[in-house]
Structures are given as structure tokens and as C-alpha cells.
Amino acid sequence: MSGTDVKPSVAPGVRLGQVSFVWRPWLVCVTLLLAAATFLVFCLSIGVGDFPIGLSRVIATILGGGERVDEFVIMDLRMPRALAGLIVGIALGVSGALTQSIARNPLASPDILGITGGAGAVSVFLVTVSGGTAAAVVSAVGLSTAALAGGLGTGLLVYFLAWRRGVDGFRLILIGISVSAMMEAITTWLLVTADIKDVARAQAWLVGSLDNRSWSEVRVALWCTLVLLAVVFCVAFQFKPMHLGDEVAAGLGVRYAMVRAVLLLCAVLLAAVGVSAAGPVPFVALVAPQVAMRLARCPTPPMVASGMVGALLLIGADLVARTALPITLPVGVVTAAIGGPFLVYLLVRANLR
Amino acid sequence: MGTTVMERPLARGTTKARRRRVVGLGTLVAVLVIAAAVSLAVGARALSPAEVWHGLFAAPDSDQRLTEIRLIVRTVRMPRTVLAIVAGIALGVGGALIQGYTRNPIADTGLLGVNSGASFTVVSVIAVFGFADPFQYVWFAFLGAAVAGVVVFGLASIGRGAGNPLTLALAGQGITVFLAAMTTAVALSDQASLNTLRFWNAGSVAGVGFDVIWPVALFIAIGLVLALTTLPALNLLNLGDDVARGLGVNIALSRTIGIAAITLLAGAATAACGPIAFLGLMVAHVARYLTGPDYRWLVPYAGLLGAVVLLLCDIVGRLVVRPGELDAGVVVALLGAPFFAALVWLGKFRSA
């Protein structure tokens, strides 16, 4: 028996020293295109406003050079908002990709353990309660850091409340729901007792908003996201074999329990950073990995491409929210308007197969 | 050789268990009556039992103080007590039914998008028509709640996902988030509806008159009748679809009637009070702990427990920040959540 050669697979494996990966040219191409599109929309978003700046001038200013007045408007006024959109979009996209890969469910979402509820309660408290302590906290650490602390504190509270000789998944979920319900009740009560102007601001934050981001908040979000992304990319190489199943991964030397725990923790923390910076923006973490997966024709949600799609989605939604609608709405409304029907489409498609 | 027919006696614990459950039910009814009496007496102005009695039953006379008392009891406390009982029963039964039909221990009436459907319709009609009286927008709220519930359940019943609890949870969550964002969009564009929305969201049994309560109670009664007729089928459905079909249950029919009952109950309660989350979930688990998995006992227990809990939370809400008030929905979450978390931690609940 001779002459029957096995054709090489469409996606060949590549080994460079200790690292080996699958070479997917289409994925690389799509990721680069997405990055370029994100940069374009980023510049467009900066150019829009009371003082419209053309695209070429925006790009010139970002790359250094450009006029002084452009530089002031862009760097001091508009860059924080656009950067916040970029960072939160990447964080949510990667967080969603991780959660969906770990849960092996295209409809999984990274908001567990009541982090959104805790961050929401702290934010609404600081926005609606006037008085010495609230103002002092806001000026000291900034609203988004306080929200992050609130969200992480709630997550830790839920984890410790559920800990009783180890953590049982069912107990964790039930206690997470209880604590979320409590946080939402506190938020509702704060909104009832607050002044109507503060209620509008709080309600806008609660649906996901990029308004009034300051450089300090953006810096915090940026550093947190960079650190978390570094951890993710170090560990994610070990995650690929887990798509083949736990036993195969263990046989290949992957410590799958630890990898899964670390990646899940990173997903939750990335989502927490996103929520603290922009509020609970709906559907980005759900939609971005699915869109990236379909665009790049990958079997599983790709990390970098999901981040790019998340950023594109968020900045694009912000652009639409500011320009295309008769009144200015928070960005969360637009992402929900896109994401809701997309979720319905995913559900119907998954079940009609 | 003749055949001998032996009558097997019932298993030893059965009559005792049944007696215990009946006694438990009676105790709950007694607690409910006492709670209702306390609710009539307690508030920003405390009334003694004699004054409450007088307020309920005496004929009008010219004494100023007694007229005030009659006014308080009949127009303020009576409607709110009745609504708390009616809505509590509806939410308790609805919660138990949802957990039964979805076989999901974390299912709640809020899961079906009922709350957000009602909120969205309320802000929309207030923004468009400028309604201010609850009587005007409560029917739209009911309609919105019903439509949202039907849409979610329809999505979850397509093709392979039918009956899969995860699909229902995801569809419900998606629709809820979508409608919540749309609600915020409408509310942010119109200050009157934003103002009404934030009070509506707090889930209160106060401020609703009998002109709303009686029609709502009618819908809830219809929902209860539907629910009670499907309880035996629900027991069988929980043994698995194949076993149920083998035992002669018409699965599509039972599920449809069940969802109609849930939508009527949850929709009517939410339309009258605003969204009260978590009550159905908590009460269903506690009822299951008390009665076991037999839905013919679980659902009545859940209904009565729901009424007791909502009434107690309303009473507590009136007491803690006197002369102001905490809305019942807020108190349910603030008190009920830690209590529930404690029970979860003690390991009282198993996966359904």
C-alpha cells in the first residue's frame, strides 16, 4: 500500500522553541483588519462633538504634531472618553471570550457573584448622597475606583458567604443571587430618596455610560486591564488543549483545574474593571466573542479578535448614541438595542439546528 | 385454590405526614390573619385593636377623631393589607410554579422578563399619554408583563431548547436586559416618567385603591384556578418528559396552562405593586423545605408564605423609618436576602 499521502491540515501547526501554536492566516488577517477599523472608529469618535475635527487632523494630533487648539480639545477633553470606550470594550470582549470558552456555552456571561450589583450600589450611593463623606471619597479615589472596590468587595463577600468546607457551585449561585437582590434593593431605595437630577445621572450610569470620564479613571482602568491581559495571555496558551476535554488536557500535562480557576478569575476581574469604568454595559461581553468567532471562522472564541470587536462595538455604539439619535442617550442603550436581537438570533439558531 | 387479595396498608409515615402538612397549612392561615390584624393597626399613627374594629365596622357618626380612624383604616390600611395578601399569594404561587415548570432552582418570576415588560410599558405610556393615576397605567403594565412573559417562553420553546431550563434562563435574562435598557432610554427622555419609574421600581403595596385591587384580584383568582388544576400534572412533569408522557400527561397542554397561570399571576401582581423580585424564589425554596417535592402541597404553602412574608415586610417597612416608609419590595430584598442566604449556608436547600 503506497501512494496514499495524507494531505496536510488547512491550519498547520508551527513550533518555535518551547511554544507551539496553530497558524491561522485568516484569523491573523481578520484581527489586523479589526484593529485598523477600531483605530478608525476611535479617531472618528474623537472628531465628533461641538467642535468638529476632521479625521486627518485627529490622526495627525494623535501621532504627535497637529495644531495646539486641536491638541487641547483632543487630549484633554475627548481622549478620556474615547480611551475609556477602547479599554472597556477590550476588557469586556476578552472577558466574554474567556467565560464562553470556559463554560463551553455561547450564551455565558461574565457577570456572576453580584459584582455588577455591588458596583452599582456604591456608584449610585456616591452620586445621589450629598454630604461630606461621599464627596471626600469621590475626590480622593474617583467614582470608578470606588465602584470597582464595591464590586470586588461584593464578589469577595459572596465567595466567603458561600464557603463552608469548600465552595459548592449551587450554593455560590444562590448566595450570589441573594446578595445581588439586596444590592439592587439598596440601589432602588437610594434612587427613591434622591433628588431627581441625581436620579437621571445615576440611571444613565446604571445602563452603561461613557459620559464624564476623567483621565484618572481612565488611567486606573488602563493599568488594571493591562496587568490582567498580561496574565491572560500567559495562561491562555495552556487553555487550548482544554478544548479537547479535561482528560486529554491532563494527559498533555496541563493543570486544568488551576488554569480554569485563574482564567475565570481574570474574566471576572476584567468584567469588574469594565463595570467600574463605564457601568454595566449590556451585551458587549456576550456579542463580541460570537461575532469575532464567526468573522474569523474559528472553532472557539478568539481572545484578541474578541477584544477588538468589543472595542469596535462599544466605540461605535457611543458614536451612534451621540450623533444618530434625536437625543443623547447613554451608550448602554445602543448596545442593548443591538445585542438583544442578536441574542434572540443566537438562541433561535442554536435551538433550530 | 382461591386467590387471596391482601390490602396493603399505607406506608407508616403517610397519614402522619399528611396530618402534619394540614396542621402546617392551618398554622400559616392563622399567622396570616394575625399579620393582617397587625397591619391594620400599625403605621405612622398607631391604632389600638378597639379602634381598628371601630374603623372597620362602625357606622358614620359625627365624632371627628373616630371619623379619622375610619378613614385611615378603610382607605389607607385596608387596601394595602388586601393588596399585600393578594399579591403575596400570587407571587408565591407563581414562584413555585416557575421552579416546577423550568426545573430550575434559581428561577424567579423576574426571570421571565415580566418585571421589565411591565416597567417598559409603564414608562412608555406615561411618556406618550401623560398618565398619572395608577388606575390608568396598571392595565398597560399587565399587558406588557404578559407579552414579555409569552415572548420569553416562546423563545425558550423553539426546537431543541424546549423545556431546557438553561434556555429559558438565558432568554429571560436577554429580554430583561434589553427591555431595561429601553426603559431607561424612554425614562431619560421624559422627566415625569423617570420620576414615576423610580417610585414604581421600588415595589410598593401602598397608594393603590380598591378600583385597581378588585380587577387585579380577579385576574389572580383565574390564575390560581388554572394553577391548581395543573398541579398533579406538574408532579408528573418533574419526573421527566418521557415518564410524564408515558403516564398520559399532555405535555404541551400542561405547559401552556402553566405558563398562562404564571403570566396571569406574576403579571397582575407586578402591574399592581411594581416589580417585587426575589419573593417567589425565596418562598418557593422555604415551602419546598417544609413540604417536600409534592407540588400539590408545595404550591399552597408557597402562596400562603408569600402573603405572610409580603405583609410582614410591609409592616416592617412602616415601622423602621417612621414617619417615613420603606417600600415592601425593598424590605423583602433587604430582610429576605440575608435570611435566605443563611438558610443556603446551612445547607437546607438541595438542587431541585
Side-chain angles (χ1 to χ4, degrees), chain A residues 307-331:
Chain A
M308 291 291 115
V309 171
L312 194 59
L313 186 61
L314 196 56
I315 304 180
D318 190 39
L319 200 55
V320 168
R322 278 186 297 153
T323 56
L325 298 169
I327 53 165
T328 314
L329 285 175
V331 67

Side-chain angles (χ1 to χ4, degrees), chain A residues 202-209 278-282 330-333 335-336, chain B residues 180-182 184-185 188:
Chain A
Q203 198 79 17
W205 188 94
L206 284 173
V207 83
S209 151
V281 183
V331 67
V333 172
T335 60
Chain B
M182 296 302 121
T184 308
L188 285 178

Side-chain angles (χ1 to χ4, degrees), chain A residues 203, chain B residues 123 127 181-195 197:
Chain A
Q203 198 79 17
Chain B
V123 286
M182 296 302 121
T183 307
T184 308
V186 173
L188 285 178
S189 62
D190 179 53
Q191 200 176 67
S193 54
L194 177 68
N195 206 22
L197 176 69

Side-chain angles (χ1 to χ4, degrees), chain B:
Chain B
M1 191 82 121
T3 47
T4 339
V5 173
M6 274 200 333
E7 278 241 359
R8 259 202 161 182
L10 287 174
R12 207 146 41 102
T14 309
T15 12
K16 243 197 265 177
R18 199 178 294 155
R19 201 181 310 141
R20 201 176 52 224
R21 287 180 187 156
V22 171
V23 166
L25 211 57
T27 320
L28 271 179
V29 172
V31 170
L32 185 61
V33 168
I34 297 176
V38 171
S39 166
L40 286 175
V42 158
R45 174 169 166 172
L47 298 176
S48 71
E51 290 173 320
V52 170
W53 185 263
H54 178 92
L56 280 176
F57 298 116
D61 61 30
S62 54
D63 188 341
Q64 176 69 4
R65 194 181 67 95
L66 292 176
T67 313
E68 268 177 27
I69 290 175
R70 204 168 32 248
L71 207 63
I72 292 176
V73 170
R74 287 206 190 143
T75 63
V76 174
R77 305 236 175 115
M78 195 61 184
R80 120 185 244 171
T81 308
V82 169
L83 184 60
I85 295 178
V86 165
I89 292 179
L91 288 172
V93 171
L97 282 180
I98 281 199
Q99 292 202 352
Y101 278 103
T102 63
R103 284 173 241 161
N104 189 336
I106 59 174
D108 185 27
T109 45
L111 192 76
L112 279 191
V114 161
N115 293 343
S116 35
S119 303
F120 178 63
T121 353
V122 164
V123 286
S124 303
V125 298
I126 291 180
V128 170
F129 297 121
F131 290 152
D133 184 19
F135 181 68
Q136 294 164 312
Y137 55 70
V138 80
W139 313 115
F140 293 98
F142 184 39
L143 188 66
V147 168
V150 165
V151 164
V152 167
F153 202 69
L155 275 180
S157 305
I158 297 177
R160 272 186 340 163
N164 182 354
L166 186 62
T167 316
L168 188 70
L170 292 167
Q173 190 202 15
I175 297 284
T176 301
V177 175
F178 175 70
L179 283 175
M182 296 302 121
T183 307
T184 308
V186 173
L188 285 178
S189 62
D190 179 53
Q191 200 176 67
S193 54
L194 177 68
N195 206 22
T196 313
L197 176 69
R198 62 169 172 151
F199 289 113
W200 159 271
N201 264 336
S204 160
V205 294
V208 181
F210 274 112
D211 53 347
V212 171
I213 295 181
W214 290 133
V216 160
L218 182 65
F219 281 115
I220 290 178
I222 299 176
L224 281 177
V225 165
L226 282 179
L228 291 174
T229 56
T230 67
L231 290 183
L234 188 55
N235 275 337
L236 292 177
L237 277 174
N238 270 291
L239 295 174
D241 275 4
D242 298 328
V243 174
R245 202 174 283 129
L247 287 169
V249 172
N250 186 341
I251 295 191
L253 184 67
S254 332
R255 236 189 222 127
T256 312
I257 295 183
I259 291 307
I262 294 173
T263 312
L264 273 174
L265 291 168
T270 308
C273 305
I276 297 182
F278 196 66
L279 181 68
L281 171 74
M282 175 173 63
V283 155
H285 274 284
V286 176
R288 177 184 309 239
Y289 171 63
L290 291 175
T291 68
D294 187 350
Y295 277 89
R296 294 170 301 171
W297 286 101
L298 202 160
V299 167
Y301 263 74
L304 285 175
L305 272 174
V308 167
V309 169
L310 193 55
L311 206 49
L312 285 178
C313 287
D314 186 45
I315 295 173
V316 168
R318 278 182 258 167
L319 290 178
V320 287
V321 284
R322 260 210 249 190
E325 263 185 29
L326 270 181
D327 298 290
V330 172
V331 180
V332 164
L334 285 180
L335 284 191
F339 170 71
F340 185 66
L343 287 181
V344 170
W345 191 85
L346 287 172
K348 297 296 181 192
F349 305 130
R350 302 272 154 256
S351 284

Side-chain angles (χ1 to χ4, degrees), chain A residues 20 22 27 30 60 73 131 152 162 167 180 236 259 282-283 311 346:
Chain A
S20 64
V22 176
L27 173 62
V30 163
V73 169
L152 291 179
V167 170
S180 293
V259 167
F283 288 124
L346 280 181

Side-chain angles (χ1 to χ4, degrees), chain A residues 130-148:
Chain A
S130 58
T133 30
V137 168
V138 171
S139 57
V141 298
L143 190 62
S144 69
T145 318
L148 181 64

Side-chain angles (χ1 to χ4, degrees), chain A residues 7-33:
Chain A
K7 278 193 125 73
S9 66
V10 174
V14 170
R15 168 167 289 174
L16 298 171
Q18 289 247 333
V19 175
S20 64
F21 53 92
V22 176
W23 170 244
R24 295 186 200 277
W26 183 246
L27 173 62
V28 173
C29 188
V30 163
T31 309
L32 288 174
L33 279 174

